[in-house]
Amino acid sequence: MNVIFSIEGGLGKSIMGTAVLKAIKKQYNKANIIVVSSYPDVFIGNPNVNKVLTHETMGGVYEKYIMNKEAKVFVTDPYSTSDYITEEKHLIQIWCEMYGLKYDGEKPELFISNAEKQYFEQFYKLDKPIMVIQPHGGAINQPLKYSWTRDIPQPIMQDIINHYAKDYAILHIKREDQIMYENTFQALDSFRSIAVLLSMSKKRLLIDSSAMHIATALNLPSVVTWVGTNPKIFGSDIHTNILANEPTKKPNLNHPHYSKYLLFQDVSTIPYNDLYEVFDIEKIVQSIDNQP
């Protein structure tokens, strides 16, 4: 039997998809499993997959894996389900149940080889312990430099950086087009290199974006902030999850979407009078200090 598992979306979603892949392998343990993802590097070394295709290289998939063959095709997107829209369950559970898979608490996983660790570690040898931050998310060409529904406000982030700059080398996971912070080093590398960086770090302050999902897959407890998205849906209980303060202005919900907020929203729509109202800095700092 061939089982085709197609994942739409960003890097973080493909990493979460490795948990669903594990559930597929448990239920169809003798199947030939084909994953389709825009991030094939996520599945390097993963024993649960036989073949990885990208959306650009899946030509002939019907003829090779479906036509006149016993096949299962899992392509429905969990974002379209009622349980996701109403925030009833974790995305991985929703994803599994949507495909009729038994969900047994499967977690995301990444497989980083010793050779990769040895290669990438040499680029992160610094004279201080490493603190990693990812205050802003989004893929390349994402137009907003700051999305209030996802990111840590710039003045709050700079204050936190200044607080730790004396004792830590602070590496900022970012896109080239995102803002730079004083007292930080830029981390612009591939996500597998970032995985090694995260495993070397002593402190981690992240948002609901790719680095958080990498940390989850590597079982690295981190401090994670949340504004418009929900840790119940996307997060993990290994992290210290800090929710944004309640809005100080009435949010504008008169929009043609099923979700309360969009993942990317301009600062002109922010329901706060002041960026410092979004998070309690002292709570974030205390959580970082207490990080395992």
Side-chain angles (χ1 to χ4, degrees):
M1 174 188 285
N2 293 324
V3 175
I4 301 171
F5 175 35
S6 180
I7 305 170
E8 299 284 346
L11 172 58
K13 193 173 178 187
S14 279
I15 294 172
M16 294 182 79
T18 62
V20 182
L21 176 62
K22 194 186 303 185
I24 292 173
K25 183 65 175 179
K26 283 183 180 179
Q27 190 153 322
Y28 301 96
N29 62 328
K30 294 183 179 179
N32 179 49
I33 300 176
I34 302 101
V35 169
V36 182
S37 167
S38 295
Y39 299 88
D41 289 357
V42 167
F43 303 93
I44 292 175
N46 194 312
N48 298 318
V49 62
N50 300 101
K51 180 77 173 178
V52 182
L53 304 172
T54 67
H55 294 97
E56 293 74 30
T57 63
M58 58 179 291
V61 66
Y62 174 78
E63 183 178 19
K64 292 176 185 175
Y65 302 113
I66 301 173
M67 186 174 71
N68 301 324
K69 297 175 178 67
E70 185 181 5
K72 288 279 185 181
V73 183
F74 298 138
V75 298
T76 308
D77 193 285
Y79 287 180
S80 64
T81 64
S82 176
D83 281 343
Y84 172 77
I85 294 168
T86 58
E87 300 187 336
E88 293 296 320
K89 301 174 183 177
H90 195 281
L91 180 67
I92 294 171
Q93 182 177 357
I94 295 169
W95 216 339
C96 288
E97 292 178 351
M98 181 179 69
Y99 292 152
L101 303 170
K102 181 181 178 183
Y103 174 69
D104 194 26
E106 283 78 14
K107 305 293 184 185
E109 54 188 353
L110 292 172
F111 297 86
I112 308 296
S113 69
N114 287 331
E116 287 178 287
K117 293 175 184 176
Q118 292 168 343
Y119 177 77
F120 290 123
E121 281 175 354
Q122 63 185 318
F123 298 106
Y124 301 122
K125 290 181 178 178
L126 300 165
D127 58 359
K128 294 179 183 178
I130 293 173
M131 177 176 178
V132 173
I133 62 170
Q134 189 185 27
H136 310 287
I140 295 172
N141 299 323
Q142 196 281 117
L144 296 180
K145 302 300 184 289
Y146 168 65
S147 172
W148 70 263
T149 54
R150 188 184 206 184
D151 300 347
I152 300 174
Q154 184 176 352
I156 290 179
M157 192 67 249
Q158 189 64 66
D159 285 354
I160 293 171
I161 290 168
N162 294 342
H163 179 81
Y164 288 102
K166 180 181 177 182
D167 298 317
Y168 290 88
I170 302 175
L171 277 77
H172 176 193
I173 298 171
K174 65 186 292 292
R175 303 192 313 263
E176 287 191 19
D177 63 326
Q178 288 176 324
I179 63 171
M180 295 175 59
Y181 287 98
E182 294 180 3
N183 299 319
T184 66
F185 301 93
Q186 297 183 73
L188 301 168
D189 307 303
S190 70
F191 95 86
R192 296 185 73 84
S193 173
I194 294 299
V196 175
L197 168 62
L198 286 166
S199 69
M200 295 173 64
S201 63
K202 301 297 183 184
K203 303 287 186 184
R204 292 169 292 277
L205 174 60
L206 311 172
I207 63 167
D208 174 20
S209 195
S210 59
M212 185 271 290
H213 293 292
I214 296 170
T216 301
L218 297 178
N219 198 33
L220 297 170
S222 307
V223 177
V224 183
T225 62
W226 302 81
V227 187
T229 55
N230 189 340
K232 177 183 175 181
I233 308 299
F234 297 105
S236 168
D237 56 11
I238 71 168
H239 303 311
T240 301
N241 295 302
I242 298 179
L243 304 182
N245 296 323
E246 287 296 317
T248 52
K249 294 166 58 179
K250 184 178 180 180
N252 179 10
L253 303 180
N254 185 26
H255 55 66
H257 304 283
Y258 293 116
S259 57
K260 183 176 182 180
Y261 299 126
L262 304 182
L263 190 58
F264 300 105
Q265 285 195 222
D266 186 79
V267 69
S268 63
T269 66
I270 193 170
Y272 296 90
N273 293 296
D274 186 301
L275 290 178
Y276 279 103
E277 294 177 343
V278 180
F279 287 109
D280 182 338
I281 294 181
E282 300 232 343
K283 185 175 182 180
I284 294 176
V285 168
Q286 184 178 35
S287 297
I288 294 171
D289 287 345
N290 294 333
Q291 185 174 302

